[in-house]
């Protein structure tokens, strides 16, 4: 039986000019040709959303001043636009975090309306079927919180089994980074975070060693854990200048610093001669490609990875501002908070 779709819905809307955010009532969008209307069941709250609200990020391609936030979205198909085939109403889906338009990627919930709403429109080719045994509140975080570190590990770094790696920042991205590095066969995995609970979480997610960045001998501890070799890859999920300087000092010969955490702060290499002599590298990484999401769904389908520990709490859509505040203040040191419209 077809779903009765209302005329209006709640949506978390941000004015990117004034940075005013509110959950307000707006018309339910209508899917055009090649598009699908999705009944949103779960939407992740990402630090990028916080950065948008606080003014650290500004959309590049948004037409107008206001956008519905939310680039981590899962739900069920509510209605099909003209010409859409291969999908059925009530089918469980997640949405890719963006879509390519004329060779340029536009990000959902940034450059066009996202999923902090009761309904969202998506181009049909950005839907991904969700396995029946993957809860939608876990499925929604795959297109960023999980696929971004997966892309950094497999595509940007190209981590191979038995390579020693370090992970700085065990939050929403870093916690999954540890889990996925374990899956990729990296060894040892050294997690670095100033919060004791985060270090404990890193060990639970598969890190071999968890260190406090405040330790004066941290680099020596990394060298000891790697048999003196240093790191093949140091992943910065924190986006903090001091983290990057510390991570570079822990690299081995030919090692690379992989920048995943976003920051406007300058990158400083204090000993450029040593960096050049040892053939070290800096690799920038941003987001993920659609194939990374598909790979992760396939891994879930075959029970190679489990996101049951990834959702720290769920809140109703009406409390989106509360979720943003909790994430901004890192209350409870969450991995991911999820809104349920």
């Amino acid at each position: 039986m077809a779903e009765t779709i209302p005329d209006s819905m709640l949506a978390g809307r941000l004015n990117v000019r004034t940075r005013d955010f509110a959950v307000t009532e707006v018309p339910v969008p209508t899917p055009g040709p090649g598009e699908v209307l999705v009944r949103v069941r779960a939407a992740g709250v990402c630090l990028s959303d916080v950065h948008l609200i606080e003014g650290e990020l500004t959309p590049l391609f948004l037409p107008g001043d206001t956008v519905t936030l939310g680039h981590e979205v899962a739900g069920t198909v509510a209605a099909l636009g003209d010409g859409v085939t291969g999908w059925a109403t009530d089918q469980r889906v997640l949405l890719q975090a963006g879509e390519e338009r004329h060779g340029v990627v536009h990000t959902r919930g940034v450059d066009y309306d996202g999923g902090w709403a009761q309904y969202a429109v998506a181009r049909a080719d950005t839907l991904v079927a969700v396995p029946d045994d993957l809860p939608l509140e876990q499925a929604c975080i795959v297109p960023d919180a999980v696929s971004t570190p997966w892309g950094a590990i497999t595509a940007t770094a190209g981590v191979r089994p038995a390579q020693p790696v370090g992970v700085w920042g065990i939050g929403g991205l870093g916690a999954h980074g540890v889990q996925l590095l374990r899956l990729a066969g990296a060894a040892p995995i050294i997690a670095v975070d100033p919060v004791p609970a985060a270090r404990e979480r890193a060990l639970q997610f598969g890190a071999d060693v968890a260190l406090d960045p405040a330790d004066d001998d941290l680099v020596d501890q990394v060298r000891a854990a790697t048999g003196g070799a240093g790191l093949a890859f140091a992943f910065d999920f924190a986006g903090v200048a001091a983290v990057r300087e510390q991570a570079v000092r822990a690299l081995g010969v030919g090692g690379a610093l992989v920048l995943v955490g976003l920051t406007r702060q300058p990158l400083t290499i204090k000993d450029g001669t040593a960096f050049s002599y040892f053939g070290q590298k800096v690799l920038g990484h941003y987001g993920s490609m659609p194939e990374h999401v598909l790979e992760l769904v396939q891994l879930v389908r075959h029970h190679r990875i489990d996101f049951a520990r990834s959702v720290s709490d769920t809140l109703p859509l009406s409390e989106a501002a509360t979720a943003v505040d909790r994430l901004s203040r890192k209350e409870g040191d969450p991995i991911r908070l999820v809104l349920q419209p």
Side-chain angles (χ1 to χ4, degrees):
M1 187 175 185
E3 177 176 342
T4 301
I5 299 169
D7 295 326
S8 63
M9 66 176 186
L10 291 179
R13 302 277 286 171
L14 173 69
N15 184 309
V16 299
R17 182 176 52 81
T18 64
R19 303 294 168 170
D20 290 329
F21 172 78
V23 177
T24 185
E25 194 160 321
V26 299
V28 172
T30 301
E35 295 181 334
V36 175
L37 182 68
V38 174
R39 170 72 166 93
V40 179
R41 300 293 185 184
V45 181
C46 176
L47 203 56
S48 297
D49 299 310
V50 177
H51 291 162
L52 281 164
I53 293 171
E54 293 180 348
E56 294 175 44
L57 290 178
T58 297
L60 291 176
F61 308 112
L62 178 67
D65 292 333
T66 308
V67 66
T68 298
L69 296 182
H71 54 277
E72 297 182 336
V73 188
T76 54
V77 173
L80 305 176
D82 289 344
V84 174
T85 60
W87 298 101
T89 54
D90 297 326
Q91 191 168 356
R92 303 167 79 249
V93 296
L94 60 80
L95 307 183
Q96 296 278 8
E99 60 186 47
E100 187 174 313
R101 301 179 186 177
H102 308 294
V104 178
V105 174
H106 289 56
T107 302
R108 188 182 309 280
V110 179
D111 300 308
Y112 62 100
D113 285 342
W116 287 12
Q118 291 173 292
Y119 290 88
V121 164
R123 213 168 65 191
D125 63 350
T126 65
L127 270 62
V128 178
V130 172
D132 290 340
D133 56 355
L134 177 61
L136 292 177
E137 65 269 19
Q138 296 175 31
C140 75
I141 69 173
V142 171
D144 183 17
V146 188
S147 66
T148 292
W150 182 244
I153 291 163
T154 61
T156 297
V159 173
R160 299 191 304 276
Q163 286 188 307
V165 297
V167 178
W168 271 257
I170 314 299
L173 295 179
H176 291 116
V178 168
Q179 192 175 13
L180 295 165
L181 283 162
R182 185 86 180 193
L183 183 66
I189 301 167
I190 301 169
V192 184
D193 198 289
V195 179
R199 295 198 295 273
E200 179 58 34
R201 178 168 65 206
L203 294 172
Q204 293 171 0
F205 273 56
D208 298 287
V209 180
L211 303 177
D212 185 342
D215 289 349
D216 292 337
D217 64 344
L218 179 132
V219 173
D220 291 335
Q221 293 182 63
V222 170
R223 299 280 176 192
T226 59
L231 302 174
F233 297 100
F235 291 89
D236 164 36
F237 289 102
V240 177
V243 160
R244 294 172 166 188
E245 293 177 11
Q246 186 177 66
V248 165
R249 295 200 309 274
L251 292 176
V253 175
L257 170 65
V258 185
L259 307 179
V260 188
L262 302 180
T263 180
R264 291 181 175 178
Q265 298 176 32
L267 172 65
T268 303
I269 306 294
K270 288 190 173 179
D271 189 346
T273 299
F275 189 84
S276 295
Y277 180 79
F278 291 116
Q280 294 165 341
K281 298 173 286 292
V282 177
L283 304 174
H285 179 85
Y286 181 84
S288 62
M289 299 296 289
E291 59 264 29
H292 298 136
V293 173
L294 297 175
E295 288 167 0
L296 288 162
V297 170
Q298 187 78 340
L299 289 167
V300 170
R301 194 183 306 277
H302 293 286
H303 307 287
R304 295 298 192 272
I305 191 165
D306 178 17
F307 304 130
R309 298 169 294 182
S310 298
V311 178
S312 303
D313 199 4
T314 58
L315 295 86
L317 174 62
S318 58
E319 295 182 22
T322 299
V324 168
D325 179 64
R326 283 175 57 179
L327 184 59
S328 179
R329 294 186 293 106
K330 298 185 179 180
E331 179 184 313
D333 194 29
I335 299 177
R336 262 301 183 264
L337 301 174
V338 171
L339 300 175
Q340 294 183 312

